[in-house]
Amino acid sequence: MGLDHIAARTALVLETNNLRGGEDLHAVATSLERLIDLLSAQTQPLSSLAQLVITHDGLPLAVRESLVQRAGRSIDFVEIDHTLGYYDAKNLGFAAVDASRSDQVVFADTDCMPVREWLAALLAPFASDTPPAVVAGRTSYAATLAGTALTTLDFMYFPSPLQAGATRNFYANNVAFRHDVFLQHGYQPLEGVYRAHCQVLGLRLQAAGVALHFEPRAHTVHRFPDSPRETLQLRWMRGQDTVGLTPHLVSSYLPPRWQWLSRSGPIGPACVLLSRLVFSLCAVNHQHLPPVRGLRWLGTMGLVLAFSAVDFLGAVCRGFGIDTVGRGKASADAQALSYHRP
């Protein structure tokens, strides 16, 4: 089956949750236009897709018309409540996909910059003789010193026992699902969690025997938050998320005698972060990024330790009851950070 045929049966869903921060309409419009320009320049034409869906919480008509003109195709704009979070937007975007036209659904983020071959690489496995149920692309930060360090913390991929070339986990900013698979599993509500829903869904898919095909050529580069303060805020919330994620990790990977770690306050999350730190330090120069040597290697290692310390502090504080992730309309996910700088 050819790639053009696969694309013609594929929908692309974008959400604007990560562009909310700062509430600067001009910055939001510029960020969206920049992304649409990149998508329009893909080796697999944006016009070849069955559907393009963008969720938003109040884009003016003029901005929407400009995006349609830049995309050179129709766009289904889905307006959502401004209090809804990132994964709610993903689910609502999926709900707007016409199942009669789309066998696959691609999810991407408006704060990520895909390489020119991204879409073609992400869809290519579906054109094979044994198409997968899910294809996970590779996400990283820019190949700076800080970007290399943070990629080891936020965007690691672990081999899956289900099959060769599969990963245990994926990231919601760069993934393609068979429509029926996402319809069955989807993102489930997780109270008091910022951005760990895709990690939990990865665990659920593995338990269900659904392999996640890993395609490193489908690469997208995640922006940093717009300010150093928001970068530290993101690290803090990543650490706080560890508390909500720990019970799912413990139940999936540890025997019954270790299940007490799910109810251990800061102890379980601290163990998770210490394990992640070991993997992160070992992952430097093993994540498809330009290698760092000499002083740059030392600097990267130092940044991994420094960023991990902020994560650790956030996790320990929440383990003792200091919760800044929040719930409902006050949740950090509904507030969102800002990701506008190139």
Side-chain angles (χ1 to χ4, degrees), residues 133 138 223:
R138 177 173 66 91
R223 293 177 186 156

Side-chain angles (χ1 to χ4, degrees), residues 211-280:
L212 312 176
H213 179 87
F214 181 50
E215 181 47 75
R217 294 174 300 169
H219 179 211
T220 193
V221 178
H222 201 295
R223 293 177 186 156
F224 287 115
D226 288 335
S227 69
R229 183 187 66 82
E230 286 195 325
T231 299
L232 288 176
Q233 186 179 350
L234 174 63
R235 300 306 339 147
W236 175 273
M237 289 189 292
R238 293 280 192 191
Q240 294 248 314
D241 252 5
T242 308
V243 177
L245 183 58
T246 295
H248 299 279
L249 294 172
V250 169
S251 63
S252 296
Y253 294 121
L254 295 182
R257 63 192 179 93
W258 289 102
Q259 294 302 307
W260 62 271
L261 285 171
S262 297
R263 307 173 301 277
S264 62
I267 298 176
C271 292
V272 169
L273 287 177
L274 286 173
S275 299
R276 189 195 68 176
L277 176 59
V278 172
F279 281 110
S280 295

Side-chain angles (χ1 to χ4, degrees), residues 1-11 43-45 47-51 100-106 119-120 123-128 131:
M1 191 178 297
L3 190 56
D4 287 339
H5 177 79
I6 294 297
R9 300 288 303 173
T10 297
T43 55
Q44 182 63 42
S47 59
S48 67
L49 297 177
Q51 193 175 1
S100 67
R101 298 161 55 199
S102 301
D103 298 324
Q104 295 81 220
V105 180
V106 172
L119 184 58
L123 295 181
F126 292 109
S128 67

Side-chain angles (χ1 to χ4, degrees), residues 14 22 34 45 61 68 77 117 133 159 176 182 202 207 247 259 272 289 301 331:
L14 301 170
R34 185 186 296 123
L61 178 60
V68 170
F77 290 96
E117 300 78 17
F182 192 84
Q259 294 302 307
V272 169
L289 292 175
M301 291 297 190
S331 71

